[in-house]
Amino acid sequence: MSDPRFYPPRNFAALPPEHSDYARSRVVILPVPYDSTASGWVGSREGPAAIIEASGNMELYDIGIGAEPYLVGIHTLPEVAPHTGDPQAMVERVEQIAGELIDGGKFVVTLGGEHTMAVGAARAHARRYPGPSTAPTEVGALRTGLSVLAFDAHADLRDSYLDSAYNHACTLRRILEVAPVVQVGLRSAEREEHDYIRSKTLPFHSPQEFRRLGPDAIAGLLSDSVYITIDLDAFDPSQLSALGTPGPGGLLWDEVSELLETVARQKRIVGFDVTELCPPLGPRANAQLAAKLTYRLIGLALRE
Amino acid sequence: MSDPRFYPPRNFAALPPEHSDYARSRVVILPVPYDSTASGWVGSREGPAAIIEASGNMELYDIGIGAEPYLVGIHTLPEVAPHTGDPQAMVERVEQIAGELIDGGKFVVTLGGEHTMAVGAARAHARRYPGPSTAPTEVGALRTGLSVLAFDAHADLRDSYLDSAYNHACTLRRILEVAPVVQVGLRSAEREEHDYIRSKTLPFHSPQEFRRLGPDAIAGLLSDSVYITIDLDAFDPSQLSALGTPGPGGLLWDEVSELLETVARQKRIVGFDVTELCPPLGPRANAQLAAKLTYRLIGLALRE
Amino acid sequence: MSDPRFYPPRNFAALPPEHSDYARSRVVILPVPYDSTASGWVGSREGPAAIIEASGNMELYDIGIGAEPYLVGIHTLPEVAPHTGDPQAMVERVEQIAGELIDGGKFVVTLGGEHTMAVGAARAHARRYPGPSTAPTEVGALRTGLSVLAFDAHADLRDSYLDSAYNHACTLRRILEVAPVVQVGLRSAEREEHDYIRSKTLPFHSPQEFRRLGPDAIAGLLSDSVYITIDLDAFDPSQLSALGTPGPGGLLWDEVSELLETVARQKRIVGFDVTELCPPLGPRANAQLAAKLTYRLIGLALRE
Amino acid sequence: MSDPRFYPPRNFAALPPEHSDYARSRVVILPVPYDSTASGWVGSREGPAAIIEASGNMELYDIGIGAEPYLVGIHTLPEVAPHTGDPQAMVERVEQIAGELIDGGKFVVTLGGEHTMAVGAARAHARRYPGPSTAPTEVGALRTGLSVLAFDAHADLRDSYLDSAYNHACTLRRILEVAPVVQVGLRSAEREEHDYIRSKTLPFHSPQEFRRLGPDAIAGLLSDSVYITIDLDAFDPSQLSALGTPGPGGLLWDEVSELLETVARQKRIVGFDVTELCPPLGPRANAQLAAKLTYRLIGLALRE
Amino acid sequence: MSDPRFYPPRNFAALPPEHSDYARSRVVILPVPYDSTASGWVGSREGPAAIIEASGNMELYDIGIGAEPYLVGIHTLPEVAPHTGDPQAMVERVEQIAGELIDGGKFVVTLGGEHTMAVGAARAHARRYPGPSTAPTEVGALRTGLSVLAFDAHADLRDSYLDSAYNHACTLRRILEVAPVVQVGLRSAEREEHDYIRSKTLPFHSPQEFRRLGPDAIAGLLSDSVYITIDLDAFDPSQLSALGTPGPGGLLWDEVSELLETVARQKRIVGFDVTELCPPLGPRANAQLAAKLTYRLIGLALRE
Amino acid sequence: MSDPRFYPPRNFAALPPEHSDYARSRVVILPVPYDSTASGWVGSREGPAAIIEASGNMELYDIGIGAEPYLVGIHTLPEVAPHTGDPQAMVERVEQIAGELIDGGKFVVTLGGEHTMAVGAARAHARRYPGPSTAPTEVGALRTGLSVLAFDAHADLRDSYLDSAYNHACTLRRILEVAPVVQVGLRSAEREEHDYIRSKTLPFHSPQEFRRLGPDAIAGLLSDSVYITIDLDAFDPSQLSALGTPGPGGLLWDEVSELLETVARQKRIVGFDVTELCPPLGPRANAQLAAKLTYRLIGLALRE
């Protein structure tokens, strides 16, 4: 219905059918309201709905990058139902759905929910970009196959946590099994995780290291095809406090934005996720930041 | 999409397409997120979204009346856009849309937003059920034409308020111009409004009078075809505090439910509205009550 | 300023100068935002401001008692400053101010703040209505001098608590030293307090006992001149949850209202206080109830 | 440490060691902060901590039943860790722990978390009270073995939900496999659940039926040894709105309290649970009600 | 009343009569609690009251600028009543009142409420400082007449929006009709608005451009007499999230403060407004920032 | 109990007995939930519980300083009970307890509650490090005896406020009586306080002065033994808004962290406090910052 007396529909960016029908859309938003493995404060299952709601309160022209990302078409799927029996089954469900969408020619944007869901999304992409090696330390080999750029305050490198290998604290450990990972934002880790990073010389960077190296150096560590996974706790809590595990000393909007612009100029972004927004724990402006981040990244990934 | 791996869509009662497509639905939900004339606490524009969200957290079988109201089909329209220039234009917009829906054979359920929107909805119905007289005191004439059953804590009988004849404080005065009104829940009025009630001997009842008379007596004051308008502040704030103008001493869920069942048995309910839920001002359970009230009233109005 | 383009001032009931100037007002509202002895949840210092704010969102005609209480004039004083050195000094400050107001011919309504402040207000009244005896058990002696009607969920009969004889848990013990007390709403007490009640046969009543006896019997226990002290936790938390020490099983609005009407008909109410509203802990509708209670009690106490 | 300069410890009822050491305590509080199968609003994992916090804000003498329940000793265990891999494993963990405690001579009080945890607790008790038959319809056989009194707004009779037989919507179905269940508070069910109740003639009662029958009739349906499971959504949301699935038309505090007193007089209560408090969704007074309910039930179950 | 036992009155900065009486005050605070054209999140009608409440929690000596701004006298008017019939009428009401105050020799500080109200306030000033030209691009002509310094995240340049030319999205377009505007903070605009800025070469600056140019260059664009309009969403949401339309990447307190100090040194500030604080959407500290900003700007504008 | 099926206990950092038993712990956490002299917004009595709760949601390895602070043992005491009769008595209670702990060989970390409590803690330390002089201006004399590093937005130099010399606004004035104070973060003071700073040439620094001087210069002003008192309002409200008296323009996490690292390298930190967190007034991430600050400062003070 395009009757001007009605609000536009409550999909991502509140787009009319000509820019949001499945068939005409290059981008598909996949909302995954799942947070069953959360060990701290809970509520990220409300993240996708809050991001989508906030995205309707946003200009369609992004003056910061001089683009109208919606013109490629953005279709919003219904929310994926939770499998409450087992997080592994849930990860596999996300992987299966994302894979079907990629095979259908779509650019997939997954909205969490907890960061664990990124394992399913990243796997679906990695299996379609096989490289000669996924050993994370052989950085020279990264020119072929997919690499992953991860924003995160935590190492997420535990092999298992609270009885599950698919706990949110194991996310990057699981993703490392299928693709090399370059991480930015690190400021929380257990000693074993820190030892693991050093022994494998993983390219995981604190905000201070990132500021020292600069965005070009980080982008230089990635292969040509890049999947981006964003745990929003990489941001400083001053800008984003609606998080289950916030921690001071994080990245700022301008820094993240500049790194994403650099990567977009130099590489091909093939998909991404935005996770861990926990709406009850912070002001609504946090959902707005997540919505704008999602929209800008669509614009950067798919601009001509 | 009926893929069991996805949540059902976020429409009223979270219904799949076979029970919520426009063409197959007897009922149409018309959300009107408008609250621009509010003089006290504000936020009822978030009411429709909160009721629809809560309605997905509800059994489809209503054990209280032994019915499955969704089987008649319930279609949820997008939210009506606000006309921010003038409340009268907004009332006319609602009247026009509701009228088109009635003419198309739909049973219209309007969700507010402020009570003012009921003027548009009630007018659309009243003009399609012309009676010999709308003078409110001639109760004997009520057998023909439409009558209105209003739940409200306030008299809403000012002729104009804060510079507008379409302020929420004038709602029942405007509705009285097109149909006789029987009111229940009255416990707030200015002296002029109380004098007006007495001089016109309007059938407006406090909760105490309602308890004394009983539901059959109230139903007996109505004509055969009834439109119901519900300002949720008729309820006691213990059960519903998310209101812009709450006041102690109100009606209870069981009382309202029994009166609605009585009216449904004896009359024909032709449409209704549920207004004034102000989600930020009370617990989420209030939206749940409003959703269940809406669903039960659909079941009562349209059961075989 | 009576320019119709402006809101009325933010005093109690939002009254214009002709009904709220000090000289022309029979009633004086004395706000005491003090909560320093709170042992549980805190915030009643925000109570007076919340009640006054809510009172502007209220009809001036009270349809429940058919009266316009504001016609006697209601002046709102600024908030009494806290004495943070010692609660006894704070109680004495309230007693001194209230006494000056009574001597100036005013009817004093104290808004808390914690219930402790009622000690100062009740003392100021009791010293101006000396009776032959204040021994609480000599009920027969109550015809002369002042008696106190207390609404409270707690016995408040400790002699000292947390190192102070002026803690909120000692309120009624302190008031008993100057006047006999009839209490309604009791459902929380330590064993020592319960033993004290039984040994002195104090007329303290649970909600169940109150319902059994009825309002006339309670009113019959009071002397001709009555001061009323209301700790709002006497109400059931379903109707009023914004409390530092809520407890289930309390009084309902209609019951309290009926008792107050009975007392007003049979006795002379010489002053009252409304205390312990803790706005951050419940919905705004709670402040509305407290405002309407205050307004109605003014109407009952001073009607012709 | 019994230094009077310090607050008492933050255990249930804030008891000093002589009334809360494990060895000297008859009662053990088992907090289970688990809510991973929640399908609606989430947060009951914060329930146990909120109940324990509120219990420190409560008189130790319960004037309503004239008893000091803490004198039997109440020990508070640390919170049971979540098994985030699989809800069945979590239920078995609760069953195992509760069983060890019962075998050690303790009276076990489980605090949820979601109602699912009651399956583990009820099973642990049922296996220690084997009866001749657990077929739920043979009410006459109930004199021997354990029976279960369930408070719940929902039927909770689905065999499986959202891919798990241990979802919260299956709780009473699972408990029926080990003991007969008498339910009170029913007002939400799917049609299949209602058909199941009727085909098996299960003694499940709506609030209206409960009021018609009275507490003695309900108690008469139970065997001599009774386990009580309380999903707090049995209460009316006016008294308890901090719930993931609230619904209007529920039980009131005085009704629940009277039924528990009746059962305590006529039967032997061997254990109980209190579940589904979801603190972020309602006022703090809700945790206070849950704490007082828990404390009173300890007093009723174990009084001389 | 200057009795030290009472709190000072709840006016701006909680000033006693000798510094806040109308006759003795150079500054007048004009609160306008209006937000009826809001298209996103709502609540700025509570902004004026929150700023005034927070201003009482502030030192009267501003150590940052070494001044005591209250010494010139600051009178707080009651809140302007909303005209709910039409936003244009409301803008005209503000213009009329502000004009009368200016003509009476007052320095007017308008507190919103939505940014639209600035149209009325700016017009009242502009009509009293007629310049040879208001064409916005003729910067050379700015030496005479009034110019406007606008802080805003949005362009606010639509000619009409949601059926009204007086919607908040049209604010700067309306102000441009009466005076040239220099804007700082721009980071949200529709493409048409961006094209309009470029075609007219309007001096609208993003935070990045502002940092590149520096405060002296911005001040150099203004005429001698300056009106300042502040939409608080110019600030970064990390410092101010209580906004209806927040957006990341904004200005910081120290930057805004330095620009205001520069303008105050070089120009004459003749009036200002502070708008769009939406208290329910962020922490109370946001109101504190707005209060301190208002107080400092009074000190800068009127210091000797 | 070290059963892995249970959560660790709710002490600071959620440590097992081997790292938190009193006898084996070098550090003792002393929680003081007192806020009775607060003159503005209230709630810091909930600060200690919120910090301890958040500390369980934190890695035990602090990657920022490459240390595991918990290895020295951290014991959490129960909360100090309030003395509600007089703030001076409460300060003396804290001084007495802290003194006993220091004499028993413990490193004392006091968690507020209001900043006033720091007077007791600082005195307990100062009396055990007597220096030749405590006159604050004789900076050259600082090599011997204790000096105090204070983080604060306010001067806190009033001699008495609201009738008490132990009001929170007098904290640093009281501490200056026992030791010289170097302050950082100043941006709020009354004129008399500013005059006092200048006349005594006290080393009190605004954030701008601190940035100009750098951490080494500040550390150079301190004697060898340093007590640190942190009023969290020294932080910028963007990073910490849960404060009773927030003010814009404050210190950032990285700045505070760098200064603490510098002091720890050059001096001996003998004890510290963290005060004024007011949990209801900001997001939970604020408690997380306070917990991490406390943990890092333990690590810095006691590392080998």
Side-chain angles (χ1 to χ4, degrees), chain B residues 35-177:
Chain B
D35 60 7
S36 290
T37 82
S39 56
W41 298 329
V42 80
S44 67
R45 71 175 63 186
E46 301 184 30
I51 294 173
I52 291 169
E53 198 259 324
S55 73
N57 199 7
M58 180 180 81
E59 277 80 5
L60 291 179
Y61 176 63
D62 183 343
I63 194 174
I65 59 173
E68 290 169 298
Y70 76 98
L71 292 176
V72 301
I74 304 174
H75 179 73
T76 306
L77 285 172
E79 296 183 319
V80 179
H83 187 297
T84 62
D86 181 349
Q88 180 170 358
M90 187 65 197
V91 166
E92 287 164 1
R93 178 174 291 178
V94 172
E95 179 180 352
Q96 184 189 26
I97 295 170
E100 290 169 18
L101 293 167
I102 299 168
D103 292 342
K106 301 302 186 191
F107 182 95
V108 181
V109 175
T110 306
L111 299 182
E114 53 174 271
H115 198 190
T116 322
M117 293 306 101
V119 177
R123 271 192 198 159
H125 287 84
R127 293 201 171 140
R128 284 154 182 87
Y129 293 88
S133 164
T134 62
T137 59
E138 302 173 38
V139 177
L142 279 180
R143 289 298 134 203
T144 59
L146 186 75
S147 60
V148 172
L149 173 61
F151 290 85
D152 206 319
H154 303 83
D156 282 3
L157 286 172
R158 299 184 215 221
D159 200 35
S160 172
Y161 189 61
L162 287 174
D163 318 298
S164 172
Y166 289 87
N167 188 285
H168 67 98
C170 315
T171 300
L172 296 183
R173 185 71 173 260
R174 288 289 89 69
I175 293 180
L176 270 173
E177 294 167 355

Side-chain angles (χ1 to χ4, degrees), chain D residues 136-213:
Chain D
T137 61
E138 301 174 38
V139 176
L142 279 179
R143 289 295 135 202
T144 60
L146 186 74
S147 60
V148 173
L149 173 61
F151 291 85
D152 207 320
H154 303 84
D156 280 3
L157 287 172
R158 298 182 217 223
D159 201 35
S160 173
Y161 189 61
L162 287 175
D163 316 298
S164 172
Y166 289 88
N167 188 286
H168 67 99
C170 315
T171 300
L172 295 183
R173 184 72 172 258
R174 287 290 89 68
I175 293 180
L176 270 173
E177 293 168 356
V178 297
V181 174
V182 176
Q183 199 252 32
V184 178
L186 181 70
R187 57 197 186 278
S188 285
E190 287 298 349
R191 180 180 279 282
E192 295 70 29
E193 294 179 299
H194 203 185
D195 292 345
Y196 187 82
I197 290 169
R198 282 185 285 215
S199 73
K200 302 285 188 186
T201 60
L202 295 179
F204 278 43
H205 309 85
S206 72
Q208 290 82 356
E209 290 164 349
F210 164 63
R211 282 165 199 145
R212 207 156 44 233
L213 295 171

Side-chain angles (χ1 to χ4, degrees), chain A residues 7 10 49 53 284, chain B residues 10-14 29-34 43-57 76-80 110-113 274 276-280 284 286-288 290-291, chain D residues 41, chain E residues 41:
Chain A
Y7 265 131
R10 295 216 167 197
E53 197 259 323
R284 275 185 172 180
Chain B
R10 295 214 167 198
N11 56 30
F12 188 83
I29 303 283
L30 179 67
V32 188
Y34 182 87
S44 67
R45 71 175 63 186
E46 301 184 30
I51 294 173
I52 291 169
E53 198 259 324
S55 73
N57 199 7
T76 306
L77 285 172
E79 296 183 319
V80 179
T110 306
L111 299 182
V274 176
E276 292 288 351
L277 183 75
C278 194
R284 276 186 172 180
N286 288 186
Q288 196 70 27
Chain D
W41 298 328
Chain E
W41 299 327

Side-chain angles (χ1 to χ4, degrees), chain A residues 71-213:
Chain A
L71 293 176
V72 300
I74 304 175
H75 179 73
T76 306
L77 286 172
E79 297 185 318
V80 180
H83 187 297
T84 61
D86 181 350
Q88 182 170 356
M90 187 65 195
V91 167
E92 287 164 1
R93 177 175 290 178
V94 171
E95 180 180 351
Q96 185 190 23
I97 295 171
E100 291 169 16
L101 294 167
I102 300 168
D103 293 342
K106 300 302 188 193
F107 182 94
V108 181
V109 175
T110 306
L111 298 182
E114 54 173 271
H115 198 191
T116 322
M117 292 307 100
V119 177
R123 272 192 195 158
H125 287 86
R127 295 206 169 133
R128 281 153 184 88
Y129 292 88
S133 163
T134 63
T137 60
E138 302 174 40
V139 176
L142 279 179
R143 290 298 135 202
T144 59
L146 186 75
S147 61
V148 172
L149 173 61
F151 291 85
D152 207 322
H154 303 84
D156 281 2
L157 286 171
R158 299 183 215 222
D159 201 34
S160 173
Y161 188 61
L162 286 175
D163 317 297
S164 172
Y166 288 88
N167 188 285
H168 68 98
C170 313
T171 300
L172 296 183
R173 184 73 171 258
R174 288 290 88 71
I175 293 180
L176 270 172
E177 293 168 357
V178 297
V181 174
V182 176
Q183 197 253 31
V184 178
L186 181 69
R187 57 197 188 279
S188 285
E190 288 297 349
R191 181 180 278 281
E192 296 69 29
E193 294 179 300
H194 202 184
D195 292 346
Y196 187 82
I197 290 170
R198 282 186 285 215
S199 72
K200 302 284 187 186
T201 60
L202 295 179
F204 277 42
H205 308 86
S206 72
Q208 289 82 356
E209 289 164 350
F210 165 63
R211 283 165 199 145
R212 208 157 44 234
L213 294 171

Side-chain angles (χ1 to χ4, degrees), chain A residues 16-41:
Chain A
E18 58 269 30
H19 295 118
S20 64
D21 272 357
Y22 184 82
R24 279 182 281 190
S25 294
R26 175 80 179 88
V27 174
V28 166
I29 303 283
L30 179 67
V32 188
Y34 181 87
D35 61 5
S36 291
T37 83
S39 56
W41 298 327

Side-chain angles (χ1 to χ4, degrees), chain C residues 23 60 65 75 88 112 152 156 183 187 226 238-240 304:
Chain C
L60 290 180
I65 59 173
H75 179 73
Q88 180 170 357
D152 206 320
D156 281 3
Q183 198 252 31
R187 55 199 190 278
V226 179
S238 66
Q239 296 190 336
L240 211 145
E304 308 316 293

